[in-house]
Amino acid sequence: MLTRIRNSQKAYREIVFIPYSKIKGKIASILKEEGYIYNYIIEGKKLYIYIKYFKGKPVIENLKIISKQSLRIYKRKHEIIKVANGLGTAIISTSKGIMTDRAARKIGIGGEIICTIF
């Protein structure tokens, strides 16, 4: 999902089609809440993401996948670092669901670092 978004931004596309799952839907809702995408629509088993641009450049400058299928990266609550000195966002999969790094620090739980965005 994240690679498709990154590649679509490089091609300056406005809409990205992704097969839907609950995890991808939650990540899309976090991206919308944080202001990285305009909107997302779920139609059956399809997820459409509307990419956001500002002055001709994508809003997401850097999207880095941290935890991969071959190597999972977990951090405790006190090990979660701020992305770009607090200007960016990390998406974390916790026991309470998928959330941002700020929300995980506020609740006081750690988890698997999915990606960082700024």
Side-chain angles (χ1 to χ4, degrees):
M1 171 187 177
L2 300 171
T3 301
R4 281 192 186 194
I5 292 172
R6 196 176 359 174
N7 290 340
S8 297
Q9 283 186 327
K10 288 181 182 178
Y12 291 98
R13 295 193 178 175
E14 293 183 15
I15 300 173
V16 181
F17 157 75
I18 300 166
Y20 174 74
S21 71
K22 289 180 182 179
I23 294 172
K24 292 174 188 175
K26 183 61 181 166
I27 291 172
S29 71
I30 289 172
L31 291 175
K32 184 180 178 189
E33 288 171 14
E34 295 293 319
Y36 291 113
I37 61 173
Y38 271 122
N39 200 3
Y40 68 97
I41 297 174
I42 301 167
E43 290 182 1
K45 294 189 176 188
K46 297 177 184 177
L47 174 66
Y48 296 96
I49 295 178
Y50 294 87
I51 298 175
K52 193 175 194 178
Y53 294 93
F54 181 73
K55 293 186 179 178
K57 292 185 179 182
V59 172
I60 300 173
E61 291 180 20
N62 190 349
L63 180 93
K64 186 174 181 184
I65 300 168
I66 304 297
S67 191
K68 300 176 185 172
Q69 198 169 13
S70 60
L71 180 65
R72 304 286 184 184
I73 305 296
Y74 296 93
K75 298 289 181 184
R76 293 188 178 115
K77 62 181 178 182
H78 60 275
E79 295 175 332
I80 299 173
I81 59 171
K82 291 184 179 180
V83 180
N85 291 327
L87 297 176
T89 304
I91 297 178
I92 301 173
S93 177
T94 67
S95 59
K96 306 256 181 180
I98 296 176
M99 60 183 71
T100 63
D101 58 334
R102 283 182 228 101
R105 261 190 246 103
K106 186 176 181 181
I107 294 173
I109 56 174
E112 179 184 353
I113 310 294
I114 297 173
C115 66
T116 59
I117 306 164
F118 64 91

